[in-house]
Amino acid sequence: MIDRARLAPPLTFSAEAATGIARAAPMVALESTIITHGMPYPANLETARAVEAEVRATGAVPATMAVMGGRIHVGLEPDELEALAMARDVAKLSRADLAVALAMGWTGATTVAATMICADLAGIEVFATGGIGGVHRGAERSFDISADLEELARTAVTVVASGAKAILDLPKTLELLETKGVPVIAYRQDALPAFWSRDAGLRAPLRLDTAAEIAAAHRTRARLGLEGGQLVANPIPAAAEIPTAEMAPHIEAALAEAEAAGIAAKAVTPFLLAHIGARTGGAALAANIALVRNNARLGGEIAVALAALP
Ligand code: PSU
Ligand code: MN
């Protein structure tokens, strides 16, 4: 006979997340790759704390996901968050490596794809981050397409991001999301945002103007039995944005550096973010912090709106 307790997913809830689940409170999942691979210490820790606070301010409960000691941690205690932000050699986990990391007891940070899986296992329907992975420039040669896109197509979590990172091939990323049936919903504007910039120069396929509308669309997908989630593309606040034209040379230079250094696979995105951060004298990092906080706020509002639906 199958031992169901042994086969249950290895979830460990933080005190805050456990209380949230028990009360059926609105919850927002948060990823950890942005902490370990996306930002330098101590900005990563300060941002992770600020992002959780943004979620709480909306009345929702944050749950930062990470893998430690053979368990998926749904919500991190303050000391765990601090240890993760300072840790070195943390694995960057996507769908492909999540189970191996758990079985081996590795410490791992969850990407957008892995965080969606963890959120779904924990019954959390909304997730906020900075930017999703997508189709890399030159993907026709490298085949480098983020597993985040496939995950959006199969796991029913609404992901709030500032679009896909502008280091990517955004037209191809939009095409692939359309093929896979993922709604890409710009928030309160027609243009697709491009992470550090409000306008990628592309029209977003869909636009919604309130958290309640986004929640209703999420619920309707479930009623239709449609697998997969939604991508909410929330533009960076105007005061924090770096216009596309200003970012373009830094992105080009970082891409050339990555090519020259032979950077491939999982290392590409962290390499580009670090080099763009250095080239802009920290301006790109400041923008990244502003946009992820803004996304956490909208994520909280969507979770609250979802909880209010009949
Ligand atoms: N957004 C950020 N910083 C990041 C990431 C997203 O603001 O570091 C991470 C996410 O975890 C995303 C990952 O899933 O980058 C994409 O990596 P890849 O391109 O290797 O799939
Ligand atoms: Mn990749």
Side-chain angles (χ1 to χ4, degrees), residues 136 144 146 265:
H136 282 263
D144 190 350
S146 177

Side-chain angles (χ1 to χ4, degrees), residues 31-39 92-94 109-115 127 129-136 144-149 161 163 165 167-168 195-196 264-270 273 288-289 291-292 295:
E31 65 153 304
S32 43
T33 296
I34 189 169
I35 301 172
T36 55
H37 294 72
M39 291 184 187
K92 175 181 164 186
L93 305 178
S94 191
T110 53
T111 58
V112 168
T115 305
F127 160 32
T129 183
I132 64 158
V135 180
H136 282 263
D144 190 350
I145 300 174
S146 177
D148 293 351
L149 302 186
K165 283 184 276 284
I167 55 177
L168 300 164
F195 202 65
W196 301 282
K266 281 173 183 287
V268 173
T269 298
L273 289 176
N288 197 345
I289 293 168
L291 68 86
V292 68
N295 294 341

Side-chain angles (χ1 to χ4, degrees), residues 52-64:
E52 290 190 350
E54 297 283 5
V55 172
R56 289 185 196 107
T58 67
V61 176
T64 303

Side-chain angles (χ1 to χ4, degrees), residues 1-8:
M1 213 180 83
I2 297 169
D3 181 345
R4 296 208 171 270
R6 273 198 63 197
L7 282 180

